[in-house]
Amino acid sequence: MSGLEIIAVILGAINIVLIVRRNIWNYPVGMAMVTLYAQIFFDAKLYSDALLQIFFFIVQIYGWWYWLRGRAQVGDIVVEALSWRARGLGVAGLILATASWGWMMHRYTDAHFPWWDGGIAMMSVAAQLLMSRRYLENWLLWIGVDIMSVGLYWVKDLKLTSALYVVFLALSIWGFEEWMRVRQQKAVSA
């Protein structure tokens, strides 16, 4: 456990609480967190996760812009849901992306746990894109990412980060429930 990891963990917890609360300030906090985790994961030879942090940084900018545009008249962030067709296509795309990325990390790098790490990375990309677009289903993917990450980071001796992902798991469940409640309220009032 390093000082860098401690700071990243604190920022990560703040970030997820802000997302669950649909607070737009999650984005600058998230950008600081992913900057730190890029270095942490690179040092741990979790290259998929290190590269993922660069993606996260870019998509944080996009999400911030999109959330600014996606406010209801009262200022709340509007929650959307994917169609069944979009869900099916998303799952198929995620399986293909995970297989391709895991193979590439296995074949061309000295990455530790390239398939496990690659699966986390591809699910995270999909979840982040869905979250940026305010889709409820992002939380289901984050729950899967969190479960997989707890084990990987524990094995890689990133114990504090593993513990953070236990907290992320609880917050992701809370986030799903909260966003589902907001979505249902919208349907009732419509």
Side-chain angles (χ1 to χ4, degrees), residues 136-176:
L136 174 67
E137 291 83 359
N138 85 85
W139 292 110
L140 298 175
L141 287 175
W142 284 126
I143 289 167
V145 166
D146 297 338
I147 291 168
M148 292 173 60
S149 296
V150 167
L152 178 61
Y153 301 147
W154 186 267
V155 168
K156 287 299 298 173
D157 202 31
L158 295 169
K159 304 292 195 245
L160 194 55
T161 299
S162 181
L164 174 65
Y165 275 80
V166 171
V167 173
F168 280 177
L169 176 58
L171 292 172
S172 293
I173 293 167
W174 175 39
F176 179 74

Side-chain angles (χ1 to χ4, degrees), residues 31-93:
M31 287 190 284
M33 175 193 65
V34 300
T35 300
L36 298 178
Y37 267 118
Q39 185 64 51
I40 292 166
F41 291 140
F42 184 80
D43 291 345
K45 291 192 176 190
L46 295 172
Y47 302 130
S48 292
D49 276 336
L51 289 169
L52 181 62
Q53 304 313 303
I54 296 167
F55 166 80
F56 280 159
F57 191 88
I58 294 165
V59 86
Q60 296 272 352
I61 295 167
Y62 168 76
W64 198 352
W65 171 80
Y66 197 82
W67 276 36
L68 281 170
R69 295 182 57 233
R71 293 177 184 234
Q73 289 190 4
V74 294
D76 289 336
I77 301 300
V78 178
V79 175
E80 303 292 340
L82 292 172
S83 68
W84 283 103
R85 182 176 189 276
R87 289 176 188 158
L89 290 172
V91 168

